[in-house]
Amino acid sequence: MAIGQMPSLPVTVLAGFLGAGKTTLLNHFLKTARGRRLGVIVNDFGRINIDVDLIETANERIIQLSGGCVCCRMDGNFASALMELRDRGIKLDHVLVEASGVALPGPIARAVPLIEGFHTAMVITIVDIETISARLTDRFMGDLVGSQCASAQVIIANKSDLIGDTLRKLIIDQLTQSFEKAMILSTTAGQVDASILDLDIAGLNITDTSAWSPPISADALFTSWIWSCTDPIHVERLGNALAETGHGLLRVKGFMQDIRLGPVLLQIVGRHVQIATLNSPLSGNGDQISYNRLICIAEKSVKDLGHWAELEKRFGLVRSL
Amino acid sequence: MDAGRPHATHVLVRNGRFLAVGTADDLAGFGNVKSDDRFADSILMPGFVEGHTHMDSGNIWQMVYTGTFERTDPDGRHWPGLSDMDSVLDRLAAHRSNDPETVLLAWGFDPLLLGVSLTRADLDKVSDSQPIVVWHASGHIIVANTVAMQKANMFPPRIAHPGIPLGDDGLPIGELRGIETMVPTAMALGILNRFMSRDGSGARPFSRMCVRAGVTTATDLANAMTDQALSNLLEITARDDFPIRLVPALMDEQLSAEGLVAKASLLRSQSTEKLRMGAIKMIVDGSIQGFTARLLPPGYYNGAEKGLWYLAPERLGDVYTQAMASGIQVNTHTNGDEATDLALQCLQKAVNANPPSDHRFIFQHAQLANPDQFRRMKSLGACVNLFANHLYYWGDAHVAHTVGPARAALMNNCRAALDAGVPLAIHCDEPVTPMAPLFTAWCAVNRQSGSGKVLGAGQRISVGEALHAITLGAAHTMKLENEIGSIAPGKFADMAVLDSDPLAVPPFDLRHIKVQGTMLGGMFFDARTI
């Protein structure tokens, strides 16, 4: 997001070759949305699980579900679908664009900000761990699949139950080496929760995995929570403290009131801390921004959240889920 | 035009079909016949069969033509080719209006052939108040003036994007490259529907262009065949004054392979004598002049990237296998030789999975197919429809930019296709190049580029072979050889009426033969008044 402008809606591009599990993942995102209003733009409604009881309104192109999620059929191009969602004034928190199996996600991700009101959150490319090595060296499609992975900030190695531990580790290592800027997750049956969408990292231009601290374990599942506070704090100190602790904290993002700088945007990815001052006052619709509210994402394996207690006390943070 | 009797003086027609062909004596046995000597001084040929055209070209003329080659619109209006930037801008200026709400739309501009690119600054000279959008001939780039870019919120630039190139002044030069920048622009300007209409409304203007070209059967590759398009087409083609048989091919990327084949089967069952449905269209890669076709090594002459895949092999394989099982014919767009290779591999699997059948799947364009690939097509039972017109319209660009002189001389290799025994058709891809089968035949016979360079004299075919490819040959690829393509008893009385005999003129003059009109089911359509 450009600092000083109105917040725009994050768009995640979901790529992956035929049969990798894009639809399963989308269905899982919808199931685990937990209050996030997701707009899902798909090639066809056929394979998306839409519980008829949840349908509020539907037309040929858009199905609105209770709980705020919306499914939209692409009908040729994602740009017109995004514009339609925007122009209908549907309130959303995140939009997912399902790219076709042979689409290159890079050009789509680059085109998203051409449409007013949206920015690119990330490219997620899902691959079938059993076939990815063969796909990447396929005589015809190898360069296409390689490009799908190279554009991704997150690569999900799906169907990891289909192969043994040794082979899985080998393939994940290969993916990690080949696609340095991506975070590699492995999962079975597309079971990655929607909280991963809060990563919203494309704009940060992460170029190497050293930003990801600690390294992501296989079968990574996520948990997310919100820290809020009432008074302005020393944002830089908080950021450094959070980045130093590790403890499976992947991503922190939120608008804060800094005691010295005033309104800032704090972003943490692994050990990277970025604090940007908001140089023009957010007038008019500025009420859309909630200050002193940090969205945090961590590995679910971090069961003991007790070590945050001292930090919460020091900075006056209240945790809510 | 039956092989054993290539010439005749008389033809007898009853109820829209040929009853007999031969001399006056041959026809005497049919008793009292009404004589019609309107065409005594003309040459009658089987009506031409165009295996690769787009019906929506009938609507494209609502935009202003700015191409390098001369063309004729559905109203018969002649548009001279524009060979320099000043004449492009003059033509645009002649069509401008002062209404800032109406977008001035133009098409066919070709920087590869003109040797110079069109910019925002050029278009601003035409108008600084009316939005102007010019569509490149490749279809992959549009150019807009400042007002149009402002209206589309692309000016001043809000973000850096490779599809919006900037000039030395840091401002957009006006080109919007690729679908991802073109679509938001077209939508913001409210012109998206003018770029692509799919309701069947192009059929009538398109059919008038067919009459002028001597075409009596033409394809529409591809058509989504919505319910609205189907009912419109059934209604339009049923009229007596609709002068062609239309052969749409279904394309719908939303449908599963099963769904696609089921829909094609249903459409086939609703076919009429003048609307022949049931074929499917698949697109494997992009275009050579747009550098999006998939090429085998050594790739593009100018070092451009490998091109794009438009579908996954699994999808193509599924559609092939299931279509073949249901007797549905598939048209496959491949341009690059790598795309042709992939389609051949998928076709091999489908052939292996099905009992032997006369499927005649058609490779459309296959411009870089090599002799080995033609032999594989033959052994797998496929046909090919080569893009002979490309040799003329983009031949010089292929030599200079896309594939270089060595491979340009082997493009659209009709000789190799026939030598391998592959059933051959040749086409124009209207609106990509103008529809005129005799000109297409001229291209295959002479292999001459726009600048007069011969591209691969060894790949030429004879006039007879070329005439076969635009009549019975094309009909065979479409599995319509029992009904059209030659003047033979029992077939539809479809003919092209010409002012001179293509077999009598020098091969280099094929292109100058005038089409006087067509006859469809025995009814005459005059090219001068259509």
Side-chain angles (χ1 to χ4, degrees):
Chain A
M1 163 186 334
I3 302 308
Q5 289 184 2
M6 280 309 300
S8 55
L9 197 54
V11 176
T12 290
V13 181
L14 177 57
F17 207 72
L18 219 66
K22 289 195 296 285
T23 310
T24 313
L25 182 62
L26 278 182
N27 282 327
H28 193 73
F29 281 161
L30 283 169
K31 208 167 84 187
T32 56
R34 279 192 281 274
R36 286 180 195 81
R37 294 165 300 185
L38 301 182
V40 179
I41 299 175
V42 292
N43 284 302
D44 70 292
F45 288 147
R47 291 170 304 136
I48 291 284
N49 294 333
I50 296 170
D51 187 341
V52 287
D53 295 336
L54 296 180
I55 294 179
E56 284 194 340
T57 62
N59 62 28
E60 219 180 50
R61 214 169 149 184
I62 291 189
I63 298 176
Q64 283 191 274
L65 306 170
S66 64
C69 290
V70 170
C71 292
C72 180
R73 204 156 53 85
M74 187 134 18
D75 248 1
N77 69 81
F78 75 95
S80 56
L82 278 183
M83 288 185 197
E84 185 162 356
L85 288 176
R86 179 194 66 197
D87 295 343
R88 280 167 177 260
I90 297 170
K91 293 259 181 263
L92 293 170
D93 299 308
H94 203 107
V95 179
L96 281 145
V97 176
E98 179 195 24
S100 89
V102 289
L104 299 177
I108 301 177
R110 285 199 299 269
V112 163
L114 290 177
I115 303 153
E116 242 187 326
F118 299 95
H119 72 272
T120 308
M122 73 196 103
V123 172
I124 299 179
T125 296
I126 185 164
V127 301
D128 179 339
I129 200 166
E130 206 180 19
T131 60
I132 184 61
S133 301
R135 290 276 192 212
L136 283 168
T137 53
D138 182 80
R139 185 187 144 204
F140 293 113
M141 300 288 152
D143 59 323
L144 167 68
V145 175
S147 169
Q148 288 179 339
C149 292
S151 306
Q153 281 80 35
V154 175
I155 297 174
I156 296 177
N158 195 20
K159 309 186 187 181
S160 56
D161 52 330
L162 296 182
I163 57 173
D165 287 348
T166 316
L167 187 54
R168 181 174 64 215
K169 186 174 178 319
L170 188 74
I171 293 171
I172 295 207
D173 283 352
Q174 281 170 355
L175 289 173
T176 309
Q177 277 167 23
S178 305
F179 306 107
E180 287 189 327
K181 67 172 190 185
M183 165 168 128
I184 318 277
L185 307 175
S186 86
T187 179
T188 61
Q191 303 294 300
V192 175
D193 282 13
S195 47
I196 195 174
L197 300 174
D198 297 339
L199 281 173
D200 197 353
I201 45 172
L204 293 181
N205 216 357
I206 303 300
T207 51
D208 64 90
T209 43
S210 65
W212 300 109
S213 170
I216 307 303
S217 65
D219 281 321
L221 294 171
F222 296 96
T223 185
S224 61
W225 65 88
I226 290 164
W227 268 324
S228 47
C229 58
T230 46
D231 300 323
I233 57 170
H234 197 300
V235 175
E236 189 183 346
R237 278 186 202 149
L238 171 66
N240 290 338
L242 288 173
E244 278 162 17
T245 54
H247 296 300
L249 193 63
L250 296 174
R251 181 81 167 104
V252 176
K253 182 182 177 182
F255 293 96
M256 304 296 288
Q257 293 286 355
D258 185 86
I259 47 172
R260 299 167 306 153
L261 303 167
V264 296
L265 173 64
L266 168 65
Q267 303 209 66
I268 303 172
V269 181
R271 278 193 289 264
H272 276 282
V273 181
Q274 195 184 83
I275 297 166
T277 52
L278 305 175
N279 44 25
S280 67
L282 296 152
S283 59
N285 295 325
D287 59 350
Q288 285 184 12
I289 291 185
S290 310
Y291 281 99
N292 295 346
R293 200 165 169 278
L294 282 175
I295 297 171
C296 307
I297 309 168
E299 280 189 275
K300 207 163 197 168
S301 57
V302 186
K303 291 218 172 60
D304 174 23
L305 297 174
H307 58 261
W308 301 117
E310 190 210 338
L311 212 92
E312 287 167 355
K313 196 172 152 200
R314 182 172 153 207
F315 289 97
L317 300 170
V318 178
R319 190 189 325 154
S320 57
L321 293 175
Chain B
M1 287 283 286
D2 274 354
R5 186 169 51 183
H7 300 282
T9 54
H10 290 69
V11 62
L12 191 61
V13 173
R14 185 173 69 189
N15 294 336
R17 290 179 187 261
F18 297 121
L19 194 57
V21 57
T23 62
D25 286 350
D26 293 336
L27 274 52
F30 286 93
N32 261 346
V33 297
K34 191 175 144 214
S35 162
D36 180 353
D37 58 4
R38 273 181 296 176
F39 309 116
D41 297 325
S42 302
I43 297 292
L44 296 178
M45 268 190 75
F48 300 140
V49 180
E50 235 304 350
H52 196 136
T53 47
H54 295 276
M55 186 180 75
D56 277 345
S57 59
N59 282 333
I60 204 170
W61 291 95
Q62 293 166 15
M63 301 190 269
V64 177
Y65 176 65
T66 53
T68 316
F69 294 98
E70 62 175 18
R71 295 190 77 140
T72 306
D73 68 20
D75 295 331
R77 188 169 159 206
H78 187 65
W79 295 77
L82 305 173
S83 54
D84 57 55
M85 184 59 74
D86 283 345
S87 43
V88 170
L89 299 181
D90 285 348
R91 180 167 294 171
L92 288 171
H95 287 85
R96 76 186 151 202
S97 76
N98 288 323
D99 178 8
E101 296 305 313
T102 310
V103 181
L104 175 57
L105 273 176
W107 68 289
F109 179 81
D110 198 329
L112 269 186
L113 296 176
L114 212 61
V116 56
S117 52
L118 182 66
T119 64
R120 179 173 59 86
D122 294 325
L123 295 179
D124 281 350
K125 283 186 255 168
V126 177
S127 179
D128 55 12
S129 58
Q130 184 188 18
I132 304 175
V133 175
V134 179
W135 203 7
H136 276 200
S138 74
H140 299 289
I141 295 174
I142 54 178
V143 189
N145 66 350
T146 304
V147 187
M149 289 196 86
Q150 281 168 340
K151 273 195 122 173
N153 203 11
M154 298 285 177
F155 188 96
R158 287 178 297 125
I159 60 157
H161 189 281
I164 311 176
L166 305 178
D168 294 337
D169 57 1
L171 294 172
I173 61 170
E175 283 186 4
L176 297 155
R177 297 178 182 166
I179 190 102
E180 64 268 12
T181 62
M182 286 161 63
V183 168
T185 309
M187 286 203 59
L189 291 169
I191 55 175
L192 193 64
N193 287 337
R194 291 172 68 185
F195 278 155
M196 28 186 152
S197 97
R198 284 255 170 252
D199 57 2
S201 62
R204 188 154 280 282
F206 174 70
S207 71
R208 297 161 68 202
M209 299 166 77
C210 290
V211 170
R212 287 196 199 90
V215 171
T216 50
T217 298
T219 44
D220 180 27
L221 299 182
N223 194 313
M225 295 307 286
T226 59
D227 290 346
Q228 191 204 358
L230 175 61
S231 68
N232 284 350
L233 287 179
L234 282 169
E235 196 257 312
I236 293 168
T237 56
R239 292 185 206 154
D240 282 344
D241 65 353
F242 188 74
I244 60 167
R245 302 182 200 283
L246 190 64
V247 186
L250 170 67
M251 188 161 101
D252 191 335
E253 287 163 354
Q254 318 287 335
L255 289 176
S256 65
E258 295 86 351
L260 191 66
V261 172
K263 183 168 176 181
S265 301
L266 186 66
L267 287 166
R268 178 173 58 183
S269 70
Q270 297 178 75
S271 289
T272 66
E273 288 187 350
K274 283 164 71 182
L275 184 62
R276 304 304 293 253
M277 300 174 288
I280 285 174
K281 169 88 178 278
M282 305 293 286
I283 297 180
V284 179
D285 67 342
S287 73
I288 299 169
Q289 74 275 25
F291 301 96
T292 48
R294 289 288 304 204
L295 266 52
L296 286 171
Y300 286 102
Y301 192 50
N302 70 353
E305 300 242 353
K306 278 189 84 172
L308 297 174
W309 293 112
Y310 288 170
L311 54 63
E314 287 82 351
R315 163 83 173 168
L316 189 63
D318 283 353
V319 171
Y320 277 179
T321 303
Q322 296 187 34
M324 205 176 280
S326 298
I328 291 292
Q329 195 180 26
V330 182
N331 292 273
T332 307
H333 160 127
T334 67
N335 262 315
D337 41 8
E338 190 184 27
T340 299
D341 241 18
L342 175 72
L344 280 165
Q345 187 176 302
C346 293
L347 181 56
Q348 177 76 64
K349 287 183 188 157
V351 165
N352 293 348
N354 278 290
S357 72
D358 183 20
H359 58 79
R360 294 188 219 177
F361 283 9
I362 307 172
F363 283 79
Q364 295 283 351
H365 307 322
Q367 296 201 66
L368 287 168
N370 58 46
D372 290 330
Q373 291 176 327
F374 287 124
R375 281 189 281 276
R376 285 163 74 194
M377 288 179 198
K378 169 65 179 172
S379 71
L380 291 171
C383 306
V384 70
N385 188 2
L386 292 174
F387 201 162
N389 280 21
H390 239 268
L391 296 165
Y392 178 78
Y393 288 102
W394 276 284
D396 295 311
H398 291 316
V399 169
H401 306 292
T402 68
V403 294
R407 280 178 295 165
L410 296 170
M411 287 180 80
N412 292 296
N413 195 337
C414 299
R415 180 77 273 143
L418 288 177
D419 288 351
V422 187
L424 171 73
I426 49 181
H427 68 270
C428 65
D429 200 9
E430 168 79 40
V432 178
T433 74
M435 176 164 40
L438 285 171
F439 180 83
T440 305
W442 177 88
C443 291
V445 167
N446 295 287
R447 294 185 66 89
Q448 199 175 92
S449 73
S451 72
K453 203 176 281 159
V454 172
L455 304 175
Q459 277 61 254
R460 287 170 169 164
I461 59 175
S462 71
V463 172
E465 287 168 327
L467 294 178
H468 187 266
I470 59 172
T471 54
L472 193 55
H476 176 86
T477 66
M478 293 155 69
K479 292 191 169 185
L480 293 172
E481 77 280 11
N482 290 327
E483 298 172 83
I484 58 167
S486 65
I487 300 175
K491 291 195 180 185
F492 289 121
D494 297 354
M495 292 186 283
V497 184
L498 312 176
D499 74 342
S500 45
D501 182 353
L503 288 166
V505 303
F508 199 72
D509 290 341
L510 269 182
R511 60 190 293 192
H512 298 308
I513 293 173
K514 292 262 180 313
V515 174
Q516 297 172 331
T518 59
M519 192 166 262
L520 191 87
M523 185 188 283
F524 179 57
F525 294 91
D526 193 327
R528 289 165 303 183
T529 55
I530 187 75

